[in-house]
Amino acid sequence: MPKYNDISAFHEKLTRSKRILAVCGAGLSAASGLPTFRGAGGLWRNHRATDLATPTAFVKDPGLVWLFYAYRRHMALNATPNAGHFALAALARKNGKFLCLSQNVDNLHPRAGHPSEQIKLLHGSLFDIKCIDLNDEDGEGCGWIQHDNFDDPFCPALAAAAEDVEPDKTLPLLDPDHELAKIPVSEIPKCPQCSNGLQRPGVVWFDESLDGNMLDAIDAWIKQDVVDIVLVIGTSAVVYPAAGYAGQARSGSTSVVTINLEAELPQNLAKLKKNDFAFAGDAAVLLPKLLEPVIGQPRKDGTYCS
């Protein structure tokens, strides 16, 4: 049996594989300079990011929640796709039976040229805008949605989130000792369709369900035929349903390939099964090497020939 981190053995498996599934998390975008906002250091103005990413938090203080997301939009717009994004996009173009599931909301996959029909954005996008009705018990809006809104700042009241500062200086927005003026609800744009709801980020918050049609499509794809390889990239695999897809897609011959900074810790290696691989390191560095037999070598600008 080849060693779990034997790249040559993985290459042999890759070149024989047809159906490949990838499940990506925030660790993939870390090399692009985007914070993960989970685990140690995942605070924003002394707020846990997971406490701001809820419908309840938005109802309580929509201005504060919007500042958090407007800052993330600004960061994502100023980031660039890294070598890992480009490698996955190249794999999609080379292999029509490759499907990528991403928990990332930063729009870096599409910007790397990943074919839209071969990627599912599980948690939505920072650049989609939806309607939410603060007076509705379940928070449901009228169904209005706007795609690809790249306004920065999103609205005048959120201008503080789009400020750039000199290196080695702290943005006032990020300084918890710098008191922020509360943004009135009246300054958050209203839904243009119903005029009752507010516009909110089109991401999936905690306590919200993922799009049912999308989940059904993923389940159908997995059941279609044997999945030869599942790439688990830059994620600790604790948020469901993303965390369950590797197990759902596994058959006797499937190789689950873990690629993240902690992949080779003893407790993680203990979970490996026959045919599995684990590669510890930055996904932006590892993916181009791991996928090279199929996608080739990148051009000088980091992109790949179609």
Side-chain angles (χ1 to χ4, degrees), residues 20-53:
I20 301 174
L21 180 70
V23 182
C24 301
L28 174 61
S29 293
S32 294
L34 297 182
T36 63
F37 287 117
R38 288 187 66 85
L43 295 177
W44 183 84
R45 289 189 58 83
N46 284 343
H47 296 280
R48 288 190 305 174
T50 51
D51 290 339
L52 294 172

Side-chain angles (χ1 to χ4, degrees), residues 81-97:
N82 61 54
H85 294 107
F86 286 120
L88 291 172
L91 178 61
R93 293 193 298 272
K94 294 285 187 180
N95 182 352
K97 295 183 179 181

Side-chain angles (χ1 to χ4, degrees), residues 1-17 228-233 246 250 253-260 262-264 268-280 286 290:
M1 179 178 175
K3 194 175 179 183
Y4 62 83
N5 60 359
D6 185 334
I7 292 181
S8 296
F10 172 73
H11 282 171
E12 184 179 335
K13 171 79 179 195
L14 178 67
T15 54
R16 290 186 284 108
S17 297
D228 299 301
I229 291 176
V230 180
L231 303 169
V232 181
I233 304 164
R250 186 190 285 279
S253 61
T254 304
S255 290
V256 175
V257 184
T258 304
I259 303 164
N260 65 47
E262 300 178 344
E264 297 184 42
N268 293 328
L269 292 178
K271 300 175 186 177
L272 298 184
K273 300 183 184 300
K274 182 182 177 182
N275 301 322
D276 287 354
F277 294 88
F279 299 97
L286 287 170
L290 292 172

Side-chain angles (χ1 to χ4, degrees), residues 102-187:
S102 183
Q103 300 172 84
N104 299 338
V105 296
D106 49 39
N107 200 46
L108 294 182
H109 286 287
R111 286 173 56 193
H114 202 117
S116 59
E117 66 275 12
Q118 288 177 261
I119 189 162
K120 303 293 183 185
L121 300 178
L122 298 175
H123 296 167
S125 169
L126 289 169
F127 304 101
D128 290 346
I129 310 297
K130 297 165 58 176
C131 172
I132 182 172
D133 188 345
L134 301 186
N135 298 315
D136 191 325
E137 198 170 280
D138 59 10
E140 290 292 331
C142 68
W144 172 83
I145 185 168
Q146 178 188 33
H147 298 288
D148 299 331
N149 179 309
F150 302 114
D151 294 343
D152 189 35
F154 172 67
C155 66
L158 302 174
E163 291 180 14
D164 289 313
V165 295
E166 298 176 16
D168 302 323
K169 290 191 177 181
T170 301
L171 185 70
L173 176 67
L174 302 183
D175 182 0
D177 296 324
H178 180 86
E179 188 173 350
L180 296 177
K182 186 177 178 67
I183 298 175
V185 174
S186 60
E187 295 188 22

